[in-house]
Amino acid sequence: MELRHLRYFVAVAEERHFGRAAQRLHMAQPPLSQQIRQLEAELGLTLLTRTTRRVDLTPAGAAYLERAREILGAVDAAAHEAASIASGRRGRLLIGCVGSATYSLLPTLARTLRTELPEVEFGFRGEMLSPDQAAALADGTLDLGLLRPLPDSAGLAITHLRQEDLLVAMPKDHRFAARRQVRVTDLDGEGLVIHAGSGRSAMNAMIQHLFDEAGIGTHIAHEVAETSTLVTFVAAGLGVAIVPEPTAALAVPNVVYVPLSGTPGVELVAATRAGDESPLLTRALAILAALSNN
């Protein structure tokens, strides 16, 4: 038995007429009649009763029609699902974000992805440090990461998204709060609230490098895991923090943001597993690139 036999049978059963069913199927009537007889012979059942004017279903035929419709519907649904996956319009995508992108880019990205790819199941993980995202990409926990460049990107495909200026987050009563900008050397001796180090944060490594280049030491007051906690500590007067510009979207009371001059800023990139060229991931990256350029 082949699927065409089911399609032939359903057409005859619904039309109750071989001639009309043959027209619907774009075939001649004699071959259609022959195919139905072959189906009945294979099943060892009479599915249809035939007269010169009409075709009726036997009780067995009525039951078989119901199942045949279910089977053909499932086959059509499978074909649609496969086509959707092949075109990148269906599937599952897990996305991670560093802290500052969590508050600026992620909300817009999530809305856009759900609008443009409604059949895709998305999962989002915010406030992930860059090394943690790289590890999650490697073990398959994430499919796409929005992170800061890492010294070791082996196994990852990197796409530049944008360059972000650096700001100094400080309490509103800080002596530099009214300035239009500050330099790294101005922060000599300041207690820093910083993302956890020991290779766990790209921002931590970058800030250490900035201070080393300026010839001053870092005085770390507190290390934290999340950007929201970092800004909250600044609001509490526990230190100042160097953050990417989008962090200012966290409008925490008692915190002001002053541009940090003399630095190139920090890069935001998209990272995927090297060699992963799934259609869905390609579509998501295109949407992400368009949003980053706006």
Side-chain angles (χ1 to χ4, degrees):
M1 184 189 304
E2 300 178 17
L3 283 176
R4 61 188 174 88
H5 292 116
L6 296 183
R7 297 192 190 278
Y8 294 163
F9 169 71
V10 169
V12 174
E14 290 179 346
E15 296 293 341
R16 295 294 202 274
H17 193 278
F18 275 92
R20 290 193 298 270
Q23 289 179 349
R24 171 173 157 180
L25 294 166
H26 305 290
M27 64 186 298
Q29 182 175 332
L32 176 59
S33 299
Q34 183 181 11
Q35 293 292 327
I36 297 300
R37 289 193 196 96
Q38 288 178 358
L39 175 61
E40 290 179 313
E42 183 171 345
L43 294 173
L45 298 170
T46 299
L47 301 176
L48 303 167
T49 58
R50 302 153 176 87
T51 67
T52 55
R53 294 179 176 273
R54 181 176 175 81
V55 174
D56 287 316
L57 289 166
T58 65
Y64 196 75
L65 174 61
E66 181 179 349
R67 296 300 187 188
R69 283 171 170 162
E70 291 176 358
I71 292 169
L72 293 174
V75 170
D76 290 342
H80 173 74
E81 181 177 355
S84 296
I85 292 173
S87 64
R89 297 187 179 277
R90 190 164 185 159
R92 189 164 185 259
L93 200 66
L94 304 175
I95 301 173
C97 261
V98 290
S100 57
T102 300
Y103 310 113
S104 56
L105 182 56
L106 181 56
T108 303
L109 175 63
R111 285 194 299 269
T112 304
L113 288 173
R114 293 188 186 280
T115 298
E116 297 196 16
L117 300 172
E119 294 186 86
V120 175
E121 179 186 352
F122 291 102
F124 301 97
R125 291 186 60 190
E127 289 279 14
M128 284 190 75
L129 298 175
S130 296
D132 295 340
Q133 289 191 56
L137 286 165
D139 67 20
T141 308
L142 288 183
D143 301 304
L144 171 61
L146 308 181
L147 45 79
R148 307 298 174 189
L150 296 164
D152 181 9
S153 296
L156 299 179
I158 303 297
T159 302
H160 171 81
L161 294 178
R162 65 191 186 194
Q163 197 76 10
E164 298 175 342
D165 293 334
L166 292 175
L167 307 176
V168 181
M170 61 185 71
K172 67 179 181 181
D173 59 356
H174 193 279
R175 68 185 185 280
F176 295 151
R179 284 195 181 185
R180 297 184 63 180
Q181 61 182 25
V182 295
R183 300 181 301 271
V184 174
T185 52
D186 294 328
L187 302 179
D188 189 11
E190 290 282 342
L192 296 176
V193 183
I194 195 168
H195 285 97
S198 302
R200 293 190 57 223
S201 166
M203 281 296 298
N204 181 297
M206 187 208 67
I207 291 169
Q208 296 282 4
H209 178 70
L210 287 177
F211 274 65
D212 288 344
E213 279 199 328
I216 58 177
T218 54
H219 173 54
I220 298 175
H222 298 278
E223 289 191 356
V224 301
E226 298 180 342
T227 301
S228 56
T229 304
L230 181 148
V231 178
T232 300
F233 277 26
V234 171
L238 300 178
V240 302
I242 297 176
V243 297
E245 185 274 332
T247 307
L250 280 173
V252 176
N254 199 44
V255 176
V256 297
Y257 297 91
V258 179
L260 183 66
S261 67
T263 68
V266 62
E267 189 177 7
L268 180 69
V269 303
T272 60
R273 283 181 293 278
D276 188 347
E277 299 178 357
S278 74
L280 173 53
L281 193 57
T282 300
R283 283 186 179 275
L285 284 170
I287 291 170
L288 181 57
L291 291 176
S292 300
N293 291 329
N294 291 336

